[in-house]
Each structure stands twice: as C-alpha cells, then as structure tokens.
C-alpha cells in the first residue's frame, strides 16, 4: 500500500514543477458573479502545458524517477489528458513512454500524445480491462506504471493547482473541482485543508458516472460500468484507494451534473469568456451553477481542468448537433 500524501507533499511538488508547469491565470466574470450571487475565481488549467492540469502530476511523478526507472521507461493508461501529460513529461525528462488509450479517445488527444513522442497502445474501453493490459505490458517491459490518479506523486502534483489558487486569492468559502478518478479533487482537498480550513470542497462528476457520489454516500468504493457521457475525462469506473481515503475525510460533498449542463457551460465559457473548455473541464463550474442558491455572498473557487476538445466535436456540442 502506497503512503497517503499530505499537504507537505503538495508543497514539495510545487517546488519540483516550478519553472516547468505554467502558473495558470485566475479569471473572473462579472456576469458569472451576478448569476451565482457570489464572487467566483476560475483557475484556468485549460491554459496549462498540454492543455490540462494533468501536466502537474505527471511532471512531479517523473521528476522523482531513479536512473534505473528512467532507463526502463514509464507506462500509463488514460483517456487522453494524462496520456498527453505523461508523454510530454517523459519527453522533457528523456524517458521512453508507453500509453494505453481507449480506441475511441478524442482524435486530438491521440494525436497530441503521439506528437509528444508517446508510444500508444489502444484498447476497447467497453470490453477490455486496461488494468490487465497495463500489468501485462509492465511485466513485459519492466517500465514503471504511473496511473492517472491513484498515486501519491500524481495526487500531490494535481494539488498544486488549488495551492496556486489559494496563494493568489486567499481563503475561499467553497471550491468546486471536477471528479473522475479523484486525483485533482484529493490534491485540492489537501491544499484547502492547509490554506483555507473553512473552505467546503465539492467534487463534481457527470450524472451518468456518479460512482464517486455513490462511494461518498456509502462509505466504500463503488465500481460502475464505463459511463456514457460527453465528459470523457470522467469516464472512470471507480475512485482509487488513495483518492477515496482523502476524499471521504476532506471533501464536503459530491454532486452530479447532466451532460446538458456541461454543454451550456461550454457555451458560457466560449461566448462570455472567449475560452475553449472541454466537457470534463466544465464540471466544476456546472456544479457551482447548480448550487447557486447556496452560494449567495460567498467567495467561490472553481478549477477549470482542461481545454482539450476536438474543434469539430466542440462545434457540434454547442450547436446541439451530436
């Protein structure tokens, strides 16, 4: 069993990634403040290197590799953003990377992963077990497996996004974070506990894939079939052991939003803030908008997790043609 990370690990990760990861902007919108009756601060990780927060955890994890691990390479599985993050981080560290990706992953994410130098192995996410494929390839190659979320260095690295948000804007009353496997939410909760102890942290996931909400309510990890949702970065089947351990202790609640709410949030970002945000990246704000009645007068943080979406797909979604 790997050690559960703490805020000290988040702070250490921040030092490792400094000068390598972008310090992404914190944006505000008077229109959004008016809609929610709150002061909202948006941490724009869609402007991070490779387009998502995942670069933070990946670079942090690979920066801790030994010389022997660097020689044998890194292996991971991902629907897209972690794949790109590992591929780019591996390139920067001079490490060979093998990425297991679902064959229906967004074309832009597949292309970017290959473009960063990652060797891509595809699989059918609805009929094949990526964990089994990962174990087989690990045994064959000797590469170090760095999963997308259930790893202490990944969790600590992801928590640096929330750390930067609190460092810049101060304490918050509420923080909304997208939830797939739980790396970003767990890391954000660690940062919130240390830097803004009164802040309530909320995880937000798609209604079709509410395994996190079920797990939170039942006090145990609930596993579901691969959910069908436009939020491809949240098509996870279960939380990780490490992420769940932190989430059940430090998170206030988990809410679920519809795909329709994600599309509406994509439209808001594009039309009012002139930003391209992928469906998964819209989860946090969609959750905050759904909770608007409870946020009056509060200081609210939202982490926009990423902006990697095919332009044709984006156009179809926001125009109502799917």
């Amino acid at each position: 069993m790997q050690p559960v990370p703490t805020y000290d690990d988040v702070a250490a990760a921040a030092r490792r990634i400094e000068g390598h990861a972008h310090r992404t902007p914190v944006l505000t919108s008077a229109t959004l403040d008016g809609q929610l009756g709150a002061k909202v601060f948006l941490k724009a990780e869609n402007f991070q290197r490779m387009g998502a927060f995942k670069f933070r955890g990946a670079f942090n994890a690979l920066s801790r590799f030994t010389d022997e691990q660097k020689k044998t390479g890194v292996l991971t599985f991902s629907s897209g953003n972690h794949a790109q993050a590992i591929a780019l981080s591996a390139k920067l560290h001079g490490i060979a990377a093998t990425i297991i990706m679902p064959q229906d992953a967004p074309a832009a994410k597949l292309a970017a992963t290959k473009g960063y130098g990652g060797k891509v192995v595809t699989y059918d996410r609805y009929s094949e077990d990526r964990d089994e494929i990962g174990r087989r390839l690990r045994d064959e190659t000797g590469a170090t497996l760095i999963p997308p979320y259930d790893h202490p260095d990944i969790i600590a690295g992801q928590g640096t996004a929330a750390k930067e948000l609190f460092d810049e804007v101060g304490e918050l009353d509420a923080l909304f974070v997208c939830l797939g496997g739980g790396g970003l939410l767990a890391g954000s909760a660690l940062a919130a506990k240390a830097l803004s102890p009164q802040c309530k942290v909320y995880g937000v996931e798609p209604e079709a894939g509410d395994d996190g909400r079920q797990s939170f309510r039942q006090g145990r990890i609930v596993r579901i079939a691969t959910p069908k949702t436009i939020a491809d970065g949240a098509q996870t089947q279960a939380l990780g052991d490490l992420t769940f351990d932190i989430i059940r202790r430090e998170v206030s609640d988990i809410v679920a939003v519809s795909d329709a709410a994600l599309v509406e949030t994509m439209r808001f970002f594009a039309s009012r803030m002139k930003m391209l945000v992928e469906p998964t990246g819209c989860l946090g704000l969609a959750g905050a908008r759904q909770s608007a009645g409870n946020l009056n007068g509060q200081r609210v943080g939202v982490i926009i997790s990423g902006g990697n979406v095919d332009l044709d797909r984006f156009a179809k979604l926001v125009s109502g043609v799917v």
Side-chain angles (χ1 to χ4, degrees), residues 225-263:
T226 300
K228 294 187 177 181
T229 170
I230 62 172
D232 64 279
Q235 284 184 295
T236 47
Q237 296 177 305
L239 298 176
D241 292 331
L242 293 178
T243 57
F244 180 62
D245 186 278
I246 297 169
I247 288 168
R248 67 178 176 178
R249 287 187 287 107
E250 310 298 349
V251 169
S252 296
D253 200 6
I254 294 175
V255 299
V257 298
S258 67
D259 278 6
L262 295 180
V263 170

Side-chain angles (χ1 to χ4, degrees), residues 114-282:
K114 293 176 182 178
Y116 291 133
K119 176 185 176 183
V120 175
V121 176
T122 59
Y123 74 103
D124 184 338
R125 74 166 95 215
Y126 298 105
S127 64
E128 295 182 279
D129 185 344
R130 71 180 185 181
D131 294 326
E132 189 279 326
I133 297 171
R135 286 190 293 270
R136 174 171 54 80
L137 289 175
R138 180 185 59 191
D139 292 342
E140 290 176 359
T141 65
T144 299
L145 178 63
I146 299 294
Y149 47 85
D150 206 36
H151 188 285
D153 293 334
I154 293 294
I155 295 169
Q158 316 307 29
T160 63
K163 179 184 184 303
E164 288 179 8
L165 175 62
F166 289 118
D167 286 346
E168 183 165 340
V169 306
E171 295 193 18
L172 298 170
D173 299 299
L175 177 65
F176 289 84
V177 184
C178 73
L179 174 58
L184 180 61
L185 179 58
S188 297
L190 292 175
K193 181 180 181 181
L195 302 176
S196 184
Q198 303 306 311
C199 179
K200 293 183 177 180
V201 180
Y202 299 95
V204 189
E205 60 189 350
E207 287 179 348
D210 71 337
D211 60 288
R213 182 171 61 175
Q214 292 183 54
S215 300
F216 191 78
R217 300 283 193 274
Q218 296 183 33
R220 63 180 181 86
I221 295 177
V222 173
R223 189 174 184 85
I224 63 172
T226 300
K228 294 187 177 181
T229 170
I230 62 172
D232 64 279
Q235 284 184 295
T236 47
Q237 296 177 305
L239 298 176
D241 292 331
L242 293 178
T243 57
F244 180 62
D245 186 278
I246 297 169
I247 288 168
R248 67 178 176 178
R249 287 187 287 107
E250 310 298 349
V251 169
S252 296
D253 200 6
I254 294 175
V255 299
V257 298
S258 67
D259 278 6
L262 295 180
V263 170
E264 180 53 38
T265 304
M266 291 172 72
R267 289 196 188 101
F268 173 83
F269 279 131
S271 63
R272 302 309 299 248
M273 301 191 73
K274 317 310 175 190
M275 287 197 302
L276 192 69
V277 180
E278 65 185 280
T280 307
C282 293

Side-chain angles (χ1 to χ4, degrees), residues 283-306:
L283 282 166
L285 183 55
R289 295 173 90 181
Q290 184 169 285
S291 306
N294 301 317
L295 301 176
N296 289 333
Q298 294 189 22
R299 288 168 52 83
V300 178
V302 173
I303 297 183
I304 303 171
S305 63

Side-chain angles (χ1 to χ4, degrees), residues 21 28 31-32 51 67 72 128 164 208 217 302 307 322:
T28 59
T31 299
L32 185 59
D67 289 342
T72 54
E128 295 182 279
E164 288 179 8
R217 300 283 193 274
V302 173
V322 179

Side-chain angles (χ1 to χ4, degrees), residues 84 87-88 91 108-120:
Q84 294 173 78
L88 176 56
K91 180 179 180 180
K109 294 183 178 182
L110 279 164
T113 302
K114 293 176 182 178
Y116 291 133
K119 176 185 176 183
V120 175

